[in-house]
Amino acid sequence: FVYICQQLIQSMKVQSTTTQQDDHFLIADYDYKSTNIEKNGDKYIAKPQITNFKFKTDTRIPKVGVMLVGWGGNNGTTLTGGILANKFNITWNSRRGTHQPNFYGSLTQSSVIKIGTCNTEEVFVPFKDVLPMVNPCDIVFGGWDISSLNLADAMGRAQVVDYDLQQKLRPYLEKLVPLPSIYYPDFIAANQGDRADNVIPGNNKLEHLNIIRKNIADFKQQNNLDKVILLWTANTERFCVEDPNVHGTAEKLMKSIESSHPEISASTIFACAACLEGCSFINGSPQNTIVPGVIELAEKAGVFVAGDDFKTGQTKFKTCLVEYLVGAGIKPKAIISYNHLGNNDGKNLSQESCFKSKERSKKTCVDDILESNKVLYPTEEELNIDHTIVIKYCPETGDSKKAMDEYIAEIFLGGRQTFAVYNVCEDSLLAAPLIMDLLLLCELFERIQFSKDSSEFQRFDTVLSWLSYLMKAPKSESGITTINALSRQRAMLENLVKVCAGLTVDDNLRLEVRYG
Ligand code: NAD
């Protein structure tokens, strides 16, 4: 069966009158079925409707560069080294034997999508094979860090990757040195000061912006790239004090940068630089980098912004378990989450202002799941469940973050069901493949356009909420509600690529198998 799938992967072609393909574009027609609900007194009137969409995918694969802010950190080094290990098929030994590189933990590279049925057997192919996607091994990496260590030494400092693999990667990584970065000490923990030896001098934020813009332009030109994507995987900053007069529009934001306003964070400067250089920007940390002025800049430049905060271990599980409980008609009443971790991220989060950013993004992740069920939560007051987040820095734990969660739920006749979950999240080993997915999907979505009811083709909204499966506090276009439930987020992504490829969306009725 696996063999058959492999064959199909190589040769999958959609034969349908609703799909057209030439050398450059794949155009798929899709009749989207939805239900319009009207309220009539205390009754809902449901009116099914069909809207025609066309999805046009540019099938030409570009040469892509990625610039990471925080390149010398645990995530930056693990991602770069992990991709190089795959690219050069580097094997290594540990006490458990010889290891082959892989992309486990990557939705695009290691998960599969059902494309249909062959007789009565379901046929699955890798996610990455449904639409033409960039091969992660072809991405050119670059970036900035406030620490000057080359990536080989930075990988040693991170203590994430097995020692033998570190040694084998050294010849590749020691040549990679992060560019000097912008450092605004007020935004990250004071304890980060001792690694900040690679800093662009001065306090002029406009000059900083221009240097970062030049770095991006040079990187693109020197590597002969078709496009560049920027991603923030540097320390969690405190929230900037958002002010419409400072951050509210592109013009006000640029003026605030010109006057070096104290509430312009380093991450916002990077986001602006990305937009002004025509690059999409992804925020992997929880802080409010993507202020309205950044969104307007991105809109004008025709690029995407996405955020906030990678959804890796504990939160991924939370949005899965709570979805299961509420979906089963069981009422979560309390979620108490303890974390302790010993990596540099934990050290930074030990400062209250940075912790507050993380607390916010960890707390909002079940809101929509609870709000959807008015049987369990008929009032606002009941929605206000005990949801407590504790994070402690314990250096000995290193990157093996421990997450201990207690979920207390109300069941039939006033009973209680309690789950105590102990999750050892090898933090950067979970984050690195996820970062890769964010980059690959963002790049793919830059090549997709849609048309509704035969209108002009247009790109997706500037705030790329399609990536919500990968984000702890997914940012959406204004007026669009956020979905946190994990299976809904994944189904959304899967269905989008299927629809763009001209495949049928799966409603799981399996009628062709039951009655085919
Ligand atoms: P890390 O501390 O190891 O790496 C961050 C790097 O950013 C450091 O090398 C630091 O020197 C650098 N840095 C700080 N300020 C900078 C600036 N202004 N410009 C350039 N570089 C700067 O942390 P990490 O474990 O790699 O995590 C990175 C970020 O991702 C953190 O904000 C973390 O909260 C977030 N995150 C991580 C995970 C995960 O599972 N690893 C999940 C969600 C979010």
Side-chain angles (χ1 to χ4, degrees):
F1 180 60
V2 170
Y3 175 74
I4 297 170
C5 286
Q6 298 292 336
Q7 292 296 307
L8 279 174
I9 294 161
Q10 303 305 325
S11 58
M12 187 185 87
K13 182 171 170 47
V14 179
Q15 279 185 349
S16 148
T17 50
T18 56
T19 310
Q20 310 155 38
Q21 184 159 16
D22 62 21
D23 288 348
H24 294 166
F25 295 103
L26 167 66
I27 300 178
D29 216 71
Y30 179 57
D31 282 334
Y32 177 65
K33 293 186 184 146
S34 59
T35 307
N36 195 25
I37 303 291
E38 287 169 12
K39 272 190 190 158
N40 188 350
D42 58 354
K43 278 210 166 36
Y44 288 130
I45 311 291
K47 298 186 176 170
Q49 58 185 30
I50 298 178
T51 316
N52 181 260
F53 281 84
K54 283 187 179 47
F55 289 91
K56 179 161 97 172
T57 306
D58 189 335
T59 51
R60 291 164 292 180
I61 305 273
K63 186 171 179 200
V64 177
V66 165
M67 298 190 84
L68 300 176
V69 194
W71 195 19
N74 287 20
N75 288 348
T77 52
T78 308
L79 173 67
T80 312
I83 289 185
L84 287 170
N86 276 279
K87 179 170 180 152
F88 297 109
N89 197 24
I90 299 170
T91 60
W92 72 99
N93 296 313
S94 77
R95 64 183 174 180
R96 286 196 290 270
T98 302
H99 301 266
Q100 303 287 333
N102 61 39
F103 281 127
Y104 287 0
S106 160
L107 174 84
T108 59
Q109 310 301 301
S110 300
S111 85
V112 293
I113 288 183
K114 182 184 151 192
I115 54 166
T117 38
C118 180
N119 300 321
T120 55
E121 293 283 6
E122 296 185 318
V123 177
F124 297 86
V125 300
F127 193 115
K128 67 183 169 59
D129 291 332
V130 177
L131 286 177
M133 290 185 75
V134 170
N135 179 341
C137 296
D138 294 335
I139 295 176
V140 181
F141 280 95
W144 301 263
D145 204 292
I146 55 170
S147 157
S148 63
L149 285 194
N150 68 58
L151 257 65
D153 291 338
M155 179 177 263
R157 173 179 60 188
Q159 301 180 11
V160 172
V161 171
D162 280 338
Y163 181 73
D164 190 32
L165 181 56
Q166 286 185 35
Q167 294 308 303
K168 291 192 168 165
L169 285 168
R170 177 160 281 281
Y172 303 95
L173 291 179
E174 66 190 356
K175 290 182 247 165
L176 305 177
V177 183
L179 293 161
S181 192
I182 319 169
Y183 176 43
Y184 302 154
D186 170 37
F187 277 87
I188 60 173
N191 60 30
Q192 297 298 308
D194 53 3
R195 66 196 279 156
D197 64 352
N198 194 35
V199 173
I200 299 172
N203 297 315
N204 184 322
K205 294 192 174 181
L206 182 61
E207 273 176 22
H208 290 171
L209 175 78
N210 289 334
I211 292 171
I212 301 302
R213 287 187 64 176
K214 183 164 183 330
N215 291 160
I216 300 169
D218 290 348
F219 177 72
K220 190 171 178 190
Q221 194 237 328
Q222 283 156 10
N223 293 290
N224 201 13
L225 301 166
D226 297 313
K227 58 166 90 164
V228 175
I229 299 174
L230 257 72
L231 181 141
W232 177 275
T233 180
N235 291 58
T236 296
E237 295 175 323
R238 69 164 173 85
F239 266 53
C240 68
V241 182
E242 219 175 304
D243 176 347
N245 287 320
V246 177
H247 309 97
T249 64
E251 197 188 339
K252 285 180 176 151
L253 186 59
M254 290 308 294
K255 286 230 160 71
S256 307
I257 293 174
E258 273 167 34
S259 66
S260 297
H261 193 285
E263 286 307 317
I264 299 290
S265 63
S267 61
T268 294
I269 298 271
F270 275 98
C272 290
C275 298
L276 294 168
E277 289 305 310
C279 306
S280 293
F281 177 88
I282 300 169
N283 179 30
S285 302
Q287 72 276 338
N288 56 345
T289 302
I290 304 172
V291 291
V294 167
I295 298 175
E296 196 185 323
L297 279 179
E299 178 86 46
K300 284 185 177 154
V303 297
F304 293 128
V305 288
D308 296 314
D309 208 5
F310 310 127
K311 178 152 88 165
T312 47
Q314 184 185 37
T315 308
K316 208 164 212 151
F317 192 79
K318 198 178 278 182
T319 57
C320 186
L321 189 71
V322 173
E323 185 185 17
Y324 137 52
L325 289 171
V326 174
I330 292 173
K331 181 177 183 177
K333 296 197 68 130
I335 307 171
I336 303 108
S337 296
Y338 296 90
N339 300 262
H340 58 268
L341 71 169
N343 56 16
N344 190 53
D345 183 26
K347 187 175 171 189
N348 182 61
L349 294 176
S350 65
Q351 184 166 303
E352 183 69 7
S353 56
C354 301
F355 163 71
K356 281 284 167 207
S357 302
K358 201 55 139 187
E359 185 189 36
R360 228 190 266 208
S361 88
K362 276 184 176 279
K363 254 190 153 167
T364 51
C365 71
V366 295
D367 291 356
D368 62 306
I369 308 174
L370 307 185
E371 280 161 18
S372 69
N373 192 327
K374 295 275 182 287
V375 179
L376 298 176
Y377 301 98
T379 64
E380 282 291 315
E381 205 186 341
E382 283 180 86
L383 279 169
N384 200 9
I385 66 167
D386 280 349
H387 191 172
T388 302
I389 312 285
V390 180
I391 301 180
K392 290 288 168 202
Y393 173 53
C394 304
E396 193 52 35
T397 334
D399 207 55
S400 290
K401 182 170 87 184
K402 310 296 186 301
M404 287 179 273
D405 298 68
E406 187 170 283
Y407 298 82
I408 304 170
E410 184 175 344
I411 55 173
F412 196 41
L413 302 179
R416 289 285 183 275
Q417 182 178 26
T418 301
F419 294 85
V421 180
Y422 178 60
N423 180 357
V424 181
C425 312
E426 297 245 16
D427 236 10
S428 295
L429 296 176
L430 290 174
L434 184 144
I435 294 172
M436 203 176 76
D437 286 334
L438 278 166
L439 297 164
L440 296 175
L441 289 168
C442 177
E443 189 290 310
L444 171 66
F445 295 156
E446 288 182 339
R447 285 184 282 122
I448 297 178
Q449 291 185 301
F450 70 93
S451 133
K452 184 182 163 197
D453 288 332
S454 303
S455 62
E456 291 272 292
F457 276 104
Q458 53 179 300
R459 49 193 284 283
F460 292 140
D461 290 303
T462 302
V463 181
L464 201 55
S465 58
W466 293 107
L467 298 178
S468 61
Y469 173 79
L470 305 154
M471 312 281 5
K472 222 183 314 269
K475 223 177 163 46
S476 295
E477 307 77 358
S478 63
I480 309 259
T481 45
T482 302
I483 300 294
N484 284 287
L486 195 74
S487 73
R488 292 186 66 192
Q489 292 175 327
R490 194 187 182 289
M492 174 179 73
L493 265 182
E494 172 172 330
N495 288 336
L496 178 64
V497 293
K498 283 173 78 169
V499 160
C500 292
L503 292 164
T504 309
V505 165
D506 200 352
D507 56 17
N508 284 309
L509 292 177
R510 303 178 77 221
L511 298 179
E512 79 280 26
V513 177
R514 291 176 208 276
Y515 312 116

